[in-house]
Structure formats: structure tokens, C-alpha cells
Amino acid sequence: MLKHRLIPCVLLKDWQLVKSVQFGSFRTIGHPTATVRVYNARNVDELIVLDIDASLKGEPINTEIITDMANECFMPLTIGGGIKTIEDVYAVLGAGADKISINSQAIKNPYFIKEIATIFGSQCIVCSIDIKKIDGQYRVFNKKEGLLDIDPLTLAKEYERQGAGEILLTSVDLEGTTLGYDIELLKLFTDSLHIPIIINGGMGVPHHGIEALQNGADALAAAYIFHFTQYTPQMIKEELKKSNYPVRVS
Amino acid sequence: MSVNIVIIDYGMGNLRSVQKAFEKVGFSAIITRDFLQIQKASHIVLPGVGAFGDAMTNLNNLGLVELLNTQVLEYKKPFLGICLGMQLLAKKGYEFGEHDGLGWIDANVVRFKDDNLKIPHVGWNNVDFHNPSVLFQGIPDHSDFYFVHSYYFDAPSTYAIGYCNYGVKFVCAIQKENIFATQFHPEKSQIHGLKIIENFANFTKETQC
């Protein structure tokens, strides 16, 4: 049986891995290779690293760090941030990433997804959508440009049509708060999409993960809980397993 | 005989991941498309992610099909196909049209049909061992491995050594004499995956008899 994945999702900033709260107030969690080595030793299911220097400041993609991290990683590694061209995809996958995460460039040009899929296959494309709730309505949020007048579900459906492999769904409002995932948002997506959904933003206790799985999430992404609470990935998965959700426990 | 592993570089995917998995278990491996290197190899690995048709086109254009046929079918060098590298062993692939594969195994590569399934099949799934194989030596039955694919290897049980279940029960690992292949990614499957890499590297023509 296919297992639900629990995926640490961390940010790369100034050559450090950091954790944000609602996309701001960054806290350093450690050196990239050392942190990845710990995650590998803890036998996590997968790892997502988003390079916010590349996405936010437009700095070139740091393939040197990606290579160093990939060398420590014997589980799937997804890298995102600043990927704008097919050459960027080559560079990131060539540095040892297994999948790429794209965000801004896909909003500008969803056809970019199809271009990548044709060459590298859908399985390596994670489309990341950041979402904020304003006056009861969900809207796409962009780190650089702020709130956009785009309906996130319409955008996700277009991504699926273009050949996205997975959707990484992040609630900006709940990110780093430990208040739990945005279940209403999740349900909106799981009811309408046929590709796997990784929910992100807000996990503070294992029960939040159970809620998300109950409501159709395929995989759970988190960061705060691993670094600033007592819970390890293994402990969270033990809890999920107790509630009869298939997970990989070692 | 000394172990001389080559990873075939035919422009399809995560070659470096496979190389460092061999390094992790104490073997070096060369990434190459050079005929001489491949002819000198003791072990041949065909990894790959991407589309079936493109992959066969690349193998053909690089003149690798004939070379692989000689090295693997005739000289019986230990061979490991990973993911797309397993699918290419089939007679036909049906991804974006119909394509001929290497045809080493009586199989077709077809898309998951169940409408209720999420495609791709991505994540960790358990592999149920079928016929005993040195590839799985030291690994518990039903261990989880990392899969990511939208098409599967539709084959009779003749050479099956492992099955996986995702809407359909499908062959996810095979051994035919010196030919091994896995649909999942051993190089991304932590300790059990690395054990497969090690088992393959330790497999020689002598151990096979």
C-alpha cells in the first residue's frame, strides 16, 4: 500500500537553512549539509528545500549547495527557488535534485510546466502554490509581488492540465504558526485534482497531520514541528500509524 | 575479477544519484556513453527518468542498443535497470504513442488505468518478494521503496522477483539470469535501497551459476 509521506520543507537563505513564520521572521535551523545529513540519518521520506535568495532576490541558483546537500541525501530531494528556464531545470537536476519545485515562473507561464514535462517527465515537477485568505476568499500569493488576483484552484487545475506531477499547497496565513493545516483549503483542492497534493503550513502537533490525511492530503510537509517542538518525524508517523494511516516507519 | 561499474549516460535523468549510491556502499561507478568504457565494464546500470519514446530514441541515436544487446545478452554482464531503465526492457511502451523497447523481457509498459488513482504513483510503497533473488538478499520482505512513475511494467510472473500494489498488482522487480531491474528507485530508498545497490555490485557471473 502506498504510504503517506511526511516531508520536511525548509528554506535556504544566506547559505543557511531557515524556517519562517508567515513568510517572514526567519530563524536559522542550521548549516545545509549538516541539516540534510541529520534528516537522512532520521530516515525521512523525502526533503524539500526552497532557495529564497534565488526566488526573492533573483540571485542565481546555488548549484554548489544543491550538490552538497544531494550528496547527503539517499531519499528524494526536491529543490525550488528561482527556476525560470529549461537550463535552470537542467542545472538543478544535474546538481543531484530528483524533483524541482516551481512557483513564480509557472504563474507567469503555465506552459513552462509542459515544456519541463516533455523533457524530464511530470514526475519531477512539483508546482508550489502559496495562498492567502482575504475577506473569506483564497488568493494566490507571490513572495515578490504580494497578493495576486488569481483563484488558486483554477491555477492548480491549469497546472495539472499542463503536466504537473504534484502540488505543494502552502497556506501563508498558517505557515510557521503551529495552528494546524488549512483544512478548508485542502478539501477544496483534494475534491478537484487528480495529482498528489502535499499540504504545507501550520503543523504543530501530530493530530494536525491526522486531520489533513482525513481530508484527502496525500503527503504532509512541515518544518517548525521538527525544529522547535519535541516531535521527530518518526514520532509523528507513529501517531499517524496509530490512527490507521499507512506510513513508513522504520 | 575486479568490479568496474558503468552507468549509461543517455541523457535521461538522475545519473549522479545512482553514482553516489554506489559510492556510499563502497564501489566507484563511471557515468559514460563511451563504447570502450562500456565494453570494459563488469557491471552495467541503466537508470532513467522521463518518457519511454525519447529514451529509446536516445539509445538508438547513440548506437547503444546494439552495444547493450551484445554486452548483456551475449556476454551476460550483470545489468541493472532502474525505473525507466526497467521499462525499456519491455517489448513495447505505450507512453505518448507506441514504441519498441529493448525487448529483453516479454512485457508491455502501460498507463495506470484506475480513474480513482492519483497519477503519478509517487511515494513509498511495499514490495512483496516473489521468486527469491540475490538482489533482495538481507532485505526483509514487504519493505518500502520509493516509487515515482505513471506507467507500469505489465508482465507475466516468469521473471518477477517483486510485486507492488497500486490499484493493480504489478511486477516491480525482475531477474532474468544476469538481468536485474526495479521500477522503484533503490538509490532513493535509504538503507534497503542501498542494500540492493550493494547486492548488485557484488553479483558476478560466477555467483550466478
Side-chain angles (χ1 to χ4, degrees), chain B residues 154-169:
Chain B
D154 185 14
S157 62
T158 325
Y159 302 113
I161 57 171
Y163 278 94
C164 181
N165 210 317
Y166 189 62
V168 58
K169 188 180 159 193

Side-chain angles (χ1 to χ4, degrees), chain A residues 64-124:
Chain A
E64 194 182 327
I65 284 195
I66 299 171
T67 305
D68 287 350
M69 289 190 294
N71 283 343
E72 302 294 335
C73 231
F74 294 93
M75 71 284 197
L77 173 66
T78 301
I79 298 283
I83 296 172
K84 296 184 200 70
T85 63
I86 291 294
E87 287 68 36
D88 292 338
V89 180
Y90 266 111
V92 171
L93 295 178
D98 299 285
K99 310 185 211 179
I100 50 124
S101 166
I102 50 172
N103 188 326
S104 305
Q105 192 59 28
I107 298 174
K108 274 188 217 152
N109 174 22
Y111 185 71
F112 184 45
I113 297 164
K114 183 157 257 169
E115 286 183 275
I116 302 171
T118 313
I119 302 173
F120 304 97
S122 293
Q123 82 294 327
C124 76

Side-chain angles (χ1 to χ4, degrees), chain A residues 1-3 5 39-40 43-46 70-77 94 96 98-99 118-121 123 164-166 190 193-197 216 218 247-249, chain B residues 11-12 14 16-17 20-21 24 49-51 54 96 115 117-126 142 144-150 165-166 186-191 194:
Chain A
M1 188 179 236
L2 185 63
K3 312 300 185 291
R5 290 164 287 157
Y39 277 132
N40 190 67
N43 199 6
V44 300
D45 294 329
E46 198 167 326
N71 283 343
E72 302 294 335
C73 231
F74 294 93
M75 71 284 197
L77 173 66
D98 299 285
K99 310 185 211 179
T118 313
I119 302 173
F120 304 97
Q123 82 294 327
E166 295 172 80
T190 51
L193 293 180
H194 304 284
I195 52 176
I197 293 171
D218 297 284
V247 286
R248 175 177 156 265
V249 283
Chain B
M12 304 298 286
N14 65 337
R16 176 70 191 122
S17 300
K20 69 188 168 67
K24 182 81 174 174
V49 291
D54 289 350
F96 304 123
D115 287 342
L117 287 178
K118 299 251 183 149
I119 308 289
H121 171 219
V122 52
W124 297 76
N125 205 334
N126 50 290
H142 316 299
D144 288 317
F145 292 91
Y146 186 78
F147 288 82
V148 53
H149 60 125
S150 304
N165 210 317
Y166 189 62
E187 78 283 8
K188 287 285 147 187
S189 296
Q190 290 277 13
I191 49 165
L194 291 173

Side-chain angles (χ1 to χ4, degrees), chain A residues 198-216:
Chain A
I198 308 165
I199 184 81
N200 186 33
M203 191 197 237
V205 291
H207 182 69
H208 292 149
I210 294 168
E211 275 176 356
L213 296 182
Q214 270 168 354
N215 288 286

